Amino acid sequence: MTLYTYDLHFPKRDPGNVVILQRGLPRLEAFSIVFWMRTTDDEESPSGMAIVSYAVRDSDNEILLYLHRYGESRQMRIYIGEDWDDVEVDLCNGIWHHVAVTWSMARGRWALYVDGERLQTSSSRLNLGKSIRTGGCLVVGQDQDSACGGFEPEQGFIGELTGLNIFDHDMESAEVELLSHSCSYTGGNVLMWSQLRPAVRGDVRMLSPSACSSLESINHVLTGNNDYAERAETDYALDGIDSRRFRGAQNINPVSMAKDTLVKDHV
């Protein structure tokens, strides 16, 4: 168990600002993708922005988590194996959110959680009976139109990310809820946040300490202490942190605790 030690800051839309993990993912019959994020709405680009993209040779949207607007509605589009669904949710409001997307090939069931609350689950069946294929390319911050490439500037992510981990099972609600209140974690058994460090490219900046793990720093900022003004001036406005999320964080092991208390609640 450890604490997040850095955040990734994507300062602008640029195809060169990206995280590329060419080793990709193993074959998966289920997954949970969890992370913290903060961004604002970009009125100049209605196309939206990609958070996580996994592409294989004949499927550039094997997995894609994509924020976009539909009229006045803010949505997350979830692609799994080229099937997709939209969930209405506003994550572009300048505060930190904990996000989790879970999926299992059994019945194609899936769920989206924001700040520990399950917003939608299995209104449609995504990639029913089919596994996520291995041998692809995992990208953070850009939408792939081909494996490890085909990036379009208007689809790039702007904002901050931390604690991105991928697990090989679809988490239950209790497990996600615990993760949403913690800045400590047992790293994903498919992908750990620490593994993204060497894959960072372009002007993406690693900021340390992490906003999530630096609870003392956050409390100082929220209460007006000026010791952290220098970091706030580096395009990383800590005054945008949602105190309801981080002040409730504890140094716990949410995965082990959840396994002790889980109640099966998938539909």
Side-chain angles (χ1 to χ4, degrees):
M1 185 177 65
T2 187
L3 294 175
Y4 305 135
T5 58
Y6 71 97
D7 303 333
L8 292 183
H9 173 59
F10 295 76
K12 61 181 179 180
R13 294 178 185 269
D14 187 306
N17 293 342
V18 64
V19 179
I20 301 178
L21 204 63
Q22 294 182 334
R23 71 175 178 84
L25 301 175
R27 178 181 177 273
L28 294 171
E29 295 185 0
F31 66 71
S32 296
I33 301 175
V34 299
F35 54 92
W36 290 91
M37 62 163 286
R38 182 173 78 96
T39 187
T40 56
D41 198 31
D42 185 359
E43 297 292 343
E44 296 181 359
S45 182
S47 299
M49 60 180 83
I51 304 172
V52 177
S53 170
Y54 179 60
V56 296
R57 185 175 61 179
D58 57 350
S59 172
D60 56 12
N61 291 329
E62 190 75 353
I63 301 174
L64 176 62
L65 307 183
Y66 191 83
L67 299 178
H68 71 111
R69 297 202 306 272
Y70 183 76
E72 295 301 314
S73 173
R74 272 61 172 174
Q75 301 179 339
M76 175 179 280
R77 177 162 294 181
I78 300 171
Y79 280 91
I80 303 175
E82 298 291 347
D83 294 336
W84 61 272
D85 205 345
D86 284 326
V87 181
E88 185 171 348
V89 57
D90 184 9
L91 298 175
C92 302
N93 52 18
I95 62 175
W96 282 95
H97 292 286
H98 184 267
V99 179
V101 175
T102 68
W103 168 83
S104 172
M105 65 179 281
R107 296 180 291 164
R109 64 187 187 187
W110 61 277
L112 170 65
Y113 298 81
V114 174
D115 299 333
E117 178 182 355
R118 186 167 61 184
L119 297 188
Q120 187 163 337
T121 178
S122 301
S123 62
S124 59
R125 305 300 177 182
L126 301 183
N127 212 38
L128 174 63
K130 300 176 183 178
S131 63
I132 297 300
R133 289 169 285 182
T134 190
C137 186
L138 182 69
V139 164
V140 178
Q142 297 286 342
D143 178 17
Q144 302 175 81
D145 288 335
S146 59
C148 293
F151 307 139
E152 298 182 14
E154 65 272 15
Q155 295 178 332
F157 179 77
I158 300 177
E160 288 81 47
L161 292 171
T162 196
L164 173 62
N165 287 275
I166 302 179
F167 301 83
D168 66 355
H169 65 282
D170 56 330
M171 291 181 175
E172 305 289 347
S173 294
E175 197 171 352
V176 175
E177 170 68 17
L178 286 170
L179 285 171
S180 75
H181 290 286
S182 176
C183 291
S184 60
Y185 72 103
T186 300
N189 61 353
V190 174
L191 177 74
M192 293 187 292
W193 177 236
S194 60
Q195 293 175 300
L196 296 181
R197 272 184 179 269
V200 173
R201 302 187 181 184
D203 294 329
V204 179
R205 291 191 292 164
M206 287 184 286
L207 301 177
S208 183
S210 168
C212 189
S213 63
S214 302
L215 299 180
E216 182 179 354
S217 301
I218 290 167
N219 284 329
H220 277 298
V221 171
L222 291 170
T223 55
N225 188 301
N226 292 324
D227 292 346
Y228 300 90
E230 182 177 351
R231 175 163 178 165
E233 291 173 356
T234 62
D235 300 325
Y236 192 74
L238 290 180
D239 59 348
I241 292 173
D242 183 356
S243 60
R244 293 171 301 173
R245 308 307 312 159
F246 287 111
R247 282 183 172 175
Q250 303 176 45
N251 295 338
I252 60 176
N253 187 333
V255 175
S256 62
M257 288 183 64
K259 288 180 178 177
D260 293 336
T261 60
L262 283 179
V263 175
K264 295 291 183 180
D265 57 0
H266 273 304
V267 296

